[in-house]
């Protein structure tokens, strides 16, 4: 399992609800930009990859964080669909991924 970070300005209701499902969920707070929270999550991650969930992402209650990245895809960022089919708000990133602001 990879580290999972929720990005928000504070622990909101969505974080607390998600934390009931995923007890190891961590908060990556930001003051001004999402980019700074991405860097915080990347620094704090102890796994080869880490999940990012942004506060606007409406995650399906049945979503499993069990995706295993194939070896040939390990250098790429992976973006997942929300309930409406849009690719936004849920990311699986390699620990050494170059995040650009």
């Amino acid at each position: 399992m990879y580290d999972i970070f929720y990005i928000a300005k504070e622990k909101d209701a969505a974080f607390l609800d998600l934390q009931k499902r995923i007890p190891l969920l961590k908060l990556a707070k930001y003051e001004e930009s999402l980019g700074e929270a991405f860097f915080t999550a990347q620094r704090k991650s102890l796994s080869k990859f880490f999940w990012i969930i942004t506060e606007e992402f409406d995650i399906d209650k049945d979503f499993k964080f069990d995706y295993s990245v194939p070896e040939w895809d390990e250098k790429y960022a992976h973006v997942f669909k929300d309930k409406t089919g849009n690719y936004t708000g849920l990311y699986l990133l390699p620990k050494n991924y170059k995040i650009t602001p």
Side-chain angles (χ1 to χ4, degrees):
M1 180 166 203
Y2 305 129
D3 289 325
I4 305 171
F5 293 90
Y6 183 80
I7 293 183
K9 291 189 176 187
E10 61 189 8
K11 288 185 178 181
D12 56 12
F15 172 84
L16 296 173
D17 186 52
L18 196 54
Q19 194 175 41
K20 290 175 189 170
R21 258 187 52 212
I22 309 163
L24 298 176
L25 182 67
K26 301 169 189 166
L27 180 66
K29 291 176 85 172
Y30 71 92
E31 299 296 323
E32 296 179 18
S33 74
L34 288 176
E36 69 183 86
F38 272 75
F39 290 125
T40 298
Q42 188 174 41
R43 261 192 338 272
K44 290 183 175 182
S45 178
L46 301 175
S47 56
K48 187 174 182 177
F49 293 87
F50 62 100
W51 290 96
I52 292 284
I53 306 167
T54 59
E55 60 189 330
E56 76 275 353
F57 188 76
D58 189 13
I59 193 163
D60 188 300
K61 67 178 178 64
D62 295 324
F63 185 84
K64 306 267 188 273
F65 290 90
D66 61 354
Y67 180 74
S68 183
V69 178
E71 187 177 333
W72 57 85
D73 278 345
E74 288 184 347
K75 65 181 179 178
Y76 302 110
H78 302 271
V79 185
F80 294 79
K81 291 181 182 180
D82 65 10
K83 287 181 181 180
T84 62
N86 294 315
Y87 287 99
T88 183
L90 181 61
Y91 309 90
L92 180 58
L93 302 171
K95 170 79 172 154
N96 61 355
Y97 190 73
K98 298 258 190 231
I99 299 171
T100 54

